[in-house]
Amino acid sequence: HVQLVESGGDSVQAGGTLRLSCVASGHTDSIDSLNTICTAWFRETSRLPRRGVATICSDGVATYADSVKGRFTISPDNLKNTVYLHMNSLKAEDTAMYYCAARPYGRVWTFSGSYDYWGQGTQVTVS
């Protein structure tokens, strides 16, 4: 079993920056397997369902939702079992609970059902 723990959420002004972190822990074999799967960030509000923000696989290929392209960057640190989401030029519409999730290769990244592991979420508020 693998645990994902997010951190870094905060309240910031529009135009500001944040860096979210997602740290994986748990069974060693499962941790090693994270190096061969994909990790993603999702976000959810009380009015909108959970939606994919960005994803990256162990081949280094990243994909972004159109709403965050050019502003957000997803990057892994495999030595630390951590995936970051660098958020720049934040807007009020970026306000949401942000979740980290992991899935095997071959599944659709935007579909929440593709993911086997989820974190508990970290709140980002932009005003």
Side-chain angles (χ1 to χ4, degrees):
H1 182 67
V2 173
Q3 288 184 323
L4 301 175
V5 179
E6 304 96 332
S7 62
D10 205 347
S11 296
V12 297
Q13 291 187 337
T17 63
L18 280 176
R19 187 183 76 168
L20 305 183
S21 300
C22 171
V23 180
S25 62
H27 192 277
T28 301
D29 288 346
S30 298
I31 293 294
D32 289 343
S33 71
L34 285 178
N35 292 327
T36 61
I37 63 174
C38 307
T39 308
W41 286 94
F42 279 70
R43 64 187 181 187
E44 180 179 339
T45 70
S46 59
R47 289 187 289 180
L48 293 173
R50 196 168 296 191
R51 300 156 293 159
V53 174
T55 187
I56 191 164
C57 297
S58 56
D59 58 3
V61 176
T63 305
Y64 299 91
D66 288 343
S67 58
V68 305
K69 280 181 182 176
R71 299 189 299 120
F72 290 10
T73 303
I74 187 171
S75 64
D77 183 336
N78 292 332
L79 292 179
K80 295 182 179 180
N81 290 319
T82 300
V83 174
Y84 301 102
L85 184 67
H86 305 266
M87 310 164 69
N88 298 316
S89 302
L90 282 162
K91 305 175 181 179
E93 50 263 45
D94 295 319
T95 295
M97 182 70 79
Y98 284 73
Y99 296 91
C100 174
R103 74 184 190 280
Y105 278 121
R107 297 182 184 177
V108 177
W109 85 269
T110 54
F111 177 50
S112 60
S114 296
Y115 294 82
D116 294 333
Y117 304 107
W118 288 89
Q120 83 292 345
T122 186
Q123 178 68 39
V124 172
T125 303
V126 184
S127 59

